[in-house]
Amino acid sequence: MIHFVGAGPGAPDLITLRGAKLLGEADCVIYAGSLVNPELLALTRAGCLCYNSAELTLEEVLSVMREMEAADKTTVRLHTGDPSVYGSIREQMAALEAEGIAYDTVPGVSSFCGAAAALGEEYTLPGVSQSVILTRIAGRTPVPEGERLELLASHGASMVLFLSAGMLPQVQAALLAGAYTEDTPAALVYKATWPEERLLRCTVGTLAQRGA
């Protein structure tokens, strides 16, 4: 059996009870490199095989899964945050489905939840915003035309941007082309809930400057 497990945003005690139990029972753990706190591997039992997926191709990851399944072993595929948000799990699941290999998913605490907790903020406030948009700016990987950042910004809802810290000038311009103003509150959050967590409060108008 393959278990896709959300590791949470970083702090090892923010993994779910189910996820921690599966880690302790696994014969093999394939974890997402520097994105997953290595302290979580301490939850594994003696003799558990641990692979860093950052050093493997997709086919190599699937090969390990097949090998474990053929030996009737249990594999945990440990993803950062919640696997359903930028987890790149669909292609793995499709391959397993094609081969008739059973899998399930254990949700995790996403980093956007960890960021709000670290900031002491709420995304949904009466009279301010009742919606949260999770997205990213187009870069090497494009986004659908109807999901361009400036179009989503026209809603003026609370917005969480993943995978966009390296393009802050473009992010700022796109947000200002929407419903946000120079004074709209914003924040840059690095490794929420990790020991090296960093928080930078700013405004949309100073995003690029604060992130430089």
Side-chain angles (χ1 to χ4, degrees):
M1 182 74 168
I2 313 296
H3 303 283
F4 290 90
V5 175
D13 57 350
L14 286 179
I15 192 172
T16 63
L17 292 173
R18 184 182 299 180
K21 180 175 182 292
L22 287 171
L23 273 179
E25 297 171 349
D27 299 298
C28 172
V29 173
I30 307 171
Y31 65 99
S34 62
L35 299 176
V36 168
N37 193 328
E39 290 184 30
L40 285 166
L41 299 180
L43 298 177
T44 61
R45 62 179 180 81
C48 178
L49 300 174
C50 295
Y51 296 90
N52 178 358
S53 63
E55 300 171 352
L56 305 173
T57 64
L58 172 60
E59 183 51 42
E60 287 171 334
V61 167
L62 292 170
S63 178
V64 171
M65 291 179 176
R66 294 187 194 103
E67 181 182 340
M68 291 297 110
E69 191 68 13
D72 198 27
K73 302 293 186 180
T74 298
T75 299
V76 165
R77 179 65 168 106
L78 192 61
H79 280 269
T80 184
D82 180 89
S84 69
V85 182
Y86 298 108
S88 299
I89 58 173
R90 187 60 250 169
E91 56 189 354
Q92 297 172 74
M93 291 175 170
L96 295 176
E97 289 167 3
E99 297 182 34
I101 297 175
Y103 66 84
D104 62 15
T105 303
V106 178
V109 179
S110 176
S111 59
F112 84 91
C113 300
L119 290 165
E121 298 290 354
E122 182 180 352
Y123 292 120
T124 53
L125 293 171
V128 178
S129 176
Q130 289 296 290
S131 302
V132 184
I133 297 173
L134 308 181
T135 190
R136 63 172 179 81
I137 194 168
R140 284 182 297 178
T141 303
V143 300
E145 178 64 22
E147 296 180 27
R148 287 187 293 115
L149 189 53
E150 54 267 37
L151 295 180
L152 296 179
S154 67
H155 296 285
S158 297
M159 183 178 287
V160 180
L161 292 170
F162 291 78
L163 309 170
S164 303
M167 302 180 67
L168 288 179
Q170 296 94 320
V171 167
Q172 179 175 316
L175 296 180
L176 291 175
Y180 306 106
T181 68
E182 294 270 348
D183 297 325
T184 300
L188 298 167
V189 181
Y190 173 76
K191 285 199 167 184
T193 80
W194 291 65
E196 56 266 48
E197 170 187 286
R198 289 185 62 197
L199 311 174
L200 291 175
R201 294 179 183 270
C202 58
T203 64
V204 170
T206 59
L207 265 176
Q209 176 186 353
R210 289 287 281 156

